[in-house]
């Protein structure tokens, strides 16, 4: 890399992009493989919802510890450990819907391991990426989630069809191992920046210990010592932090409900076969990939050209994304063709991804030195959304099935899509009222 003058921070961003891509191949892959195996075993919708949501219990438990660990020992090391743990679990665990205890434990372990990933990534990016590149760097990294989901939806149904559900686990474990080797070989901790403006902006800072002595220069050339502590109380009572938390909850509620239940909607709600839908089934997630990067580039353009302030840029993109997504979500059950359903779900997920250029980058605006911690707090809320949304959707569908005899009527799915639609409108107002783009934590 030194011979080609390729900036090391670009390599770090590319590797984190690949990491999120691989993680979401795993998540979509389990949903697809388990759905096929569970349907073949006659598992009901409520039980499926319980298993699908188990991942998020483990994921929720490790968000804040993940941010703490990344802040204390380094995001690079924690990220590598996380990949090794979840890849090993996927490789070792058999996919048998009737072995409920084994599946529950396995999904909890995968959830705990993957819960360390995003706080670690935000810690790494806050250290490597300068402020004027943060929107597009974070957007590119997180867009890997959607490209991974799109690739999973495109390739994995065929893999299940020809090789069986267990083959998905093996393929996912192999991808995790390959990424781990790349990260181990190429990722490093950042050098500390000596430029005062860069340091003030939180770029190139060394890891902030949770409690340690730091030497600080004073006017007479000497040094003094102070104890640095993470301002937990200020973080937890901060309105801008809670604006991020609420929007993270809503974003992931909509995303996880669609990610886990869209295959069921296509197959039982619209009577379509995932295998026969071809490449169209990947469009909602591919649209997220495109719109996420559009949002990042647009946000950096608005900020660097001084068209809008950081605060106005975040609020503008967040509001546009969430309001349009809410309309598409509530319109989804009205369309009864594959084209209409793909269009609505693509618009909903695409504009949600655009909205990430608002709330999802805001961690680094308000707390660049504590980005992993704030990300852990907000992502805990996002994970709770997965637990609540995925499990409750299974119960809603089971209740609808009792009323309408099957899940082919639009009424069976109306509540499923209206709930995240209404949450999007509520969250956009919260972000408009309480968010800021200014740094509020030193």
């Amino acid at each position: 890399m030194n011979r080609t003058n390729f900036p090391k921070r670009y390599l770090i961003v590319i590797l984190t992009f690949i990491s999120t891509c691989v993680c979401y191949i795993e998540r979509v892959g389990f949903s697809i493989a388990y759905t096929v195996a569970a349907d073949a075993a006659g598992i009901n919708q409520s039980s499926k919802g319980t298993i699908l949501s188990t991942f998020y219990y483990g994921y929720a438990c490790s968000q804040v510890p993940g941010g703490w660990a990344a802040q204390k020992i380094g995001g690079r090391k924690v990220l590598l450990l996380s990949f090794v743990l979840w890849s090993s679990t996927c490789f070792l665990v058999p996919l048998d819907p009737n072995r409920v205890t084994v599946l529950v434990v396995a999904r909890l372990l995968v959830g705990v391991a993957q819960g360390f990933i995003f706080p670690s990534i935000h810690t790494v990016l806050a250290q490597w990426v300068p402020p004027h590149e943060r929107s597009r760097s974070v957007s590119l990294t997180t867009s890997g989630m959607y490209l991974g989901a799109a690739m999973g939806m495109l390739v994995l149904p065929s893999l299940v069809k020809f090789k069986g559900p267990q083959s998905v686990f093996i393929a996912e474990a192999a991808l995790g191992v390959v990424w781990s080797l790349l990260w181990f070989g190429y990722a490093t901790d950042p050098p500390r920046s000596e430029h005062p403006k860069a340091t003030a902006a939180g770029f190139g800072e060394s890891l902030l210990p949770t409690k340690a002595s730091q030497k600080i220069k004073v006017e007479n050339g000497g040094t003094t010592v102070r104890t640095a502590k993470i301002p937990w109380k200020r973080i937890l009572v901060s309105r801008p932090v809670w604006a991020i938390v609420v929007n993270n909850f809503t974003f992931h509620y909509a995303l996880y409900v669609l990610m886990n239940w869209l295959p069921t909607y296509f197959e039982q709600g619209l009577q379509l076969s995932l295998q026969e839908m071809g490449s169209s089934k990947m469009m909602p997630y591919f649209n997220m990939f495109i719109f996420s990067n559009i949002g990042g580039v647009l946000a950096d353009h608005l900020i660097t050209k001084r068209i809008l302030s950081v605060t106005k840029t975040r609020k503008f993109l967040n509001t546009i994304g969430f309001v349009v997504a809410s309309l598409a979500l509530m319109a989804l059950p009205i369309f009864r063709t594959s084209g209409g359903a793909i269009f609505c779900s693509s618009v909903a997920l695409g504009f949600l991804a655009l909205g990430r250029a608002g709330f999802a980058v805001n961690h680094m605006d308000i707390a660049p030195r504590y980005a992993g911690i704030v990300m852990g707090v907000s992502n805990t809320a996002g994970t709770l959304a997965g637990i609540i949304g995925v499990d409750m959707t299974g119960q809603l569908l089971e209740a609808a099935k009792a009323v309408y005899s099957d899940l082919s009527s639009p009424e069976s799915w109306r509540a499923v899509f209206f709930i995240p639609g209404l949450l999007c409108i509520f969250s956009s107002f919260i972000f408009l009222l309480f968010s800021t783009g200014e740094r509020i934590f030193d």
Side-chain angles (χ1 to χ4, degrees), residues 125-149:
L125 294 182
Q127 294 168 330
W128 272 104
V129 179
H132 66 278
E133 294 179 359
R134 280 178 181 161
S135 294
R136 57 181 178 270
S137 296
V138 172
S139 294
L140 177 62
T141 295
T142 55
S143 73
M145 301 187 299
Y146 321 132
L147 184 61

Side-chain angles (χ1 to χ4, degrees), residues 23-31 55 59 114 118 256 259:
C23 285
Y24 270 67
I25 289 175
E26 189 281 327
R27 296 189 200 183
V28 169
F30 179 81
S31 176
F55 168 91
Y59 197 65
Q114 290 201 15
F118 284 95
Y256 290 150
M259 180 181 297

Side-chain angles (χ1 to χ4, degrees), residues 7 58 97 109 184 214 257 264 356 441:
L109 288 175
F184 181 78
Q214 293 180 317
V257 165
T264 302
R356 285 187 68 90
F441 295 103

Side-chain angles (χ1 to χ4, degrees), residues 259-323:
M259 180 181 297
N260 286 279
W261 290 104
L262 209 52
T264 302
Y265 180 64
F266 287 140
E267 293 196 331
Q268 297 191 35
L270 300 179
Q271 306 295 303
L272 300 170
S273 168
L274 285 176
Q275 286 81 13
E276 294 174 0
M277 287 178 67
S279 61
S280 65
K281 60 181 174 288
M282 67 173 277
M283 288 308 299
Y285 303 109
F286 187 71
N287 213 39
M288 291 190 87
F289 170 72
I290 297 297
F291 273 73
S292 178
N293 286 290
I294 289 174
V297 172
L298 180 58
D300 280 346
H301 175 76
L302 293 173
I303 292 168
T304 56
K305 297 297 182 181
R306 301 192 177 186
I307 298 171
L308 292 175
S309 67
V310 176
T311 299
K312 290 181 179 178
T313 297
R314 302 292 180 230
K315 291 184 177 184
F316 171 71
L317 291 172
N318 197 85
T319 303
I320 294 295
F322 275 59
V323 170

